[in-house]
């Protein structure tokens, strides 16, 4: 699966999840037929994080996985 196809799936999963998700957990979303590697998921996460540049949110890796959160500089509002 191409990175551009993975991005909206991973983004939706992270937004729908009530807790951060690891690369392994994100990989569990896909079946063998999808042929999605952990390296592809990591690249998609990297690209999604870059897509957040200049926005009020960021994609962060925390101890328990990846999550979207409000950037510190706009948090007061």
């Amino acid at each position: 699966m191409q990175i551009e196809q993975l991005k909206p799936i991973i983004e939706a999963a992270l937004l729908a999840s009530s807790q951060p998700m690891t690369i392994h957990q994100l990989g569990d979303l896909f079946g063998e037929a999808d042929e999605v590697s952990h390296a592809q998921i990591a690249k998609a996460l990297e690209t999604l994080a870059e897509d957040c540049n200049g926005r009020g949110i960021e994609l962060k890796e925390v101890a328990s996985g990846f999550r979207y959160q409000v950037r510190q500089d706009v948090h007061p509002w």
Side-chain angles (χ1 to χ4, degrees):
M1 190 176 292
Q2 298 295 321
I3 298 300
E4 291 303 316
Q5 293 172 294
L6 286 176
K7 284 173 49 178
I9 297 167
I10 292 172
E11 182 177 49
L14 290 172
L15 288 170
S17 179
S18 61
Q19 59 192 14
M21 295 182 74
T22 65
I23 289 176
H24 181 74
Q25 289 170 322
L26 290 165
D28 289 343
L29 298 172
F30 304 96
E32 281 186 37
D34 295 318
E35 298 181 3
V36 175
S37 70
H38 287 179
Q40 288 174 300
I41 293 170
K43 180 63 177 171
L45 287 165
E46 180 182 321
T47 305
L48 284 167
E50 290 169 1
D51 291 347
C52 291
N53 287 338
R55 298 176 65 197
I57 60 166
E58 61 187 347
L59 178 60
K60 278 295 247 194
E61 183 176 11
V62 294
S64 55
F66 291 86
R67 70 176 183 196
Y68 279 101
Q69 64 185 34
V70 175
R71 287 191 185 276
Q72 288 294 327
D73 58 339
V74 298
H75 192 266
W77 292 278

